[in-house]
Amino acid sequence: MMKDLQLHEGSVGTGSSFSLPEGLVKEQFDKGAALLKDMEAASVAEVADMVKVPFLAVKGVSDYVYQDQEDISKEFAENLGPVSEEVASVLAQCVNYMIGKNFTDL
């Protein structure tokens, strides 16, 4: 599905801060091991992995972690609408792709 829909796939760092990544998350970004920082889906993905349940998160990037602190709120506000529309579109594509398929087909 990821390839067919031309979606990005990769590791995600997590943290409890809205701005700059802290500790291990910063290291993951610096090494290129994390594509983005997530504050919502990472814990759900962790539990799903522990109990061997497939998990897919559709995420949109509304701001960048290395931005100037003063620009973060402005950037978030400017990007929220367009990013939300894109996420809704991608989510619809994912659902349409999955209709009628078995999990093993995905």
Side-chain angles (χ1 to χ4, degrees), residues 13 82 93:
Q93 291 174 43

Side-chain angles (χ1 to χ4, degrees), residues 25-78:
V25 177
K26 184 173 181 344
E27 290 177 28
Q28 291 171 333
F29 276 102
D30 290 345
K31 290 192 261 183
L35 295 178
L36 59 95
K37 179 179 176 183
D38 169 80
M39 295 176 61
E40 299 85 20
S43 58
V44 178
E46 175 91 14
V47 172
D49 185 58
M50 284 196 269
V51 297
K52 306 295 186 234
V53 173
F55 177 79
L56 169 70
V58 177
K59 304 292 290 186
V61 177
S62 58
D63 56 315
Y64 300 95
V65 293
Y66 287 121
Q67 278 291 354
D68 182 333
Q69 295 291 91
E70 294 178 14
D71 294 337
I72 290 174
S73 294
K74 179 182 176 191
E75 182 181 41
F76 176 80
E78 290 173 353

